[in-house]
């Protein structure tokens, strides 16, 4: 029997960096719609695609896109200070109780990564099913943010923060290769999430995504960048 995977898409009604971010149109669709559609288009069978929200408007859009919004978040899981861990645990408790099932994996898909593709979800699930890990987390290789470029200031002097940078070092010579979480995929064993209260766990398997699908929206500038990349992806020129 296939393992049961629940996709959870967290989507609060408010946002400080980008007002009404999850509802804001991106290339003609609400931002959250891109994540719901990617989850539904994945070849790997999911037990459900659940949107955890405190907004009736977002819940309606989620259902219109083919997702599910079977509950409204309680007050303690809403607002700017709500942590992701209890939000995920609440969704798991609800679905397991409603459907009388025991889930195996929980797939966190943040709407702020709209360029994630269905094949990214499939590849992450395939890595998880190989075994030997508590979670699969998506990352991108970084160059502009490579640790070799990071500095600190001590006594008015610029010093290496961690790695020594030789003058004239070329980008392709940065080493070792560095990777950064891109916020697109967090796939966690259910027991790690519920019993150990961790999204990462102790053994993390990386899934490396290309730069063009790794845009994460936290600001107006990020939204503009996502719009440009999405338009190019869709072949929109007007």
């Amino acid at each position: 029997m296939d393992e049961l995977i629940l996709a959870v898409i967290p989507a609060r009604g408010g946002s400080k960096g980008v007002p009404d971010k999850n509802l804001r149109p991106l290339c003609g669709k609400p931002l959250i719609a891109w994540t719901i559609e990617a989850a539904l288009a994945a070849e790997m069978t999911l037990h459900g695609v659940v949107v955890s929200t405190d907004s009736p408007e977002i819940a309606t859009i989620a259902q219109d896109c083919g997702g599910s919004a079977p509950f409204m978040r309680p007050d303690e899981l809403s607002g700017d200070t709500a942590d992701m861990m209890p939000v995920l645990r609440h969704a798991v408790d609800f679905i397991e109780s409603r459907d009388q099932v025991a889930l195996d994996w929980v797939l966190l898909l943040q709407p702020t990564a709209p360029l994630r593709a269905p094949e990214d979800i499939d590849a992450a699930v395939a890595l998880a099913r190989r075994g030997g890990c508590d979670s699969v987390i998506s990352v991108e290789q970084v160059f502009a943010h490579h640790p070799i470029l990071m500095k600190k200031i001590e006594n008015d002097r610029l010093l290496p923060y961690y790695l020594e940078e030789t003058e004239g070092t070329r980008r392709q010579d940065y080493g070792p290769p560095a990777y950064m979480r891109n916020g697109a995929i967090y796939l966690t064993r259910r027991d790690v999430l519920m019993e150990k209260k961790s999204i990462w766990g102790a053994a993390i398997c990386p899934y490396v995504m290309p730069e063009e699908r790794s845009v994460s929206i936290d600001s107006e500038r990020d939204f503009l960048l996502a719009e440009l990349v999405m338009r190019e992806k869709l072949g929109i020129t007007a």
Side-chain angles (χ1 to χ4, degrees), residues 9-11 22 31-35 109-116 183 217:
I9 302 173
N22 291 309
L31 177 64
I32 192 173
W34 295 102
T35 293
L109 300 174
Q110 301 187 104
T112 46
L115 291 152
R116 158 210 321 101
I217 299 177

Side-chain angles (χ1 to χ4, degrees), residues 105 127-128 131-137 186-189 192 196 198-207:
W105 293 87
L127 285 173
C133 67
D134 293 328
S135 66
V136 176
I137 295 178
Y186 294 85
L187 179 59
T188 310
R189 289 188 184 276
V192 170
K196 298 182 180 179
S198 173
I199 295 175
W200 297 6
I204 305 170
C205 181
Y207 170 61

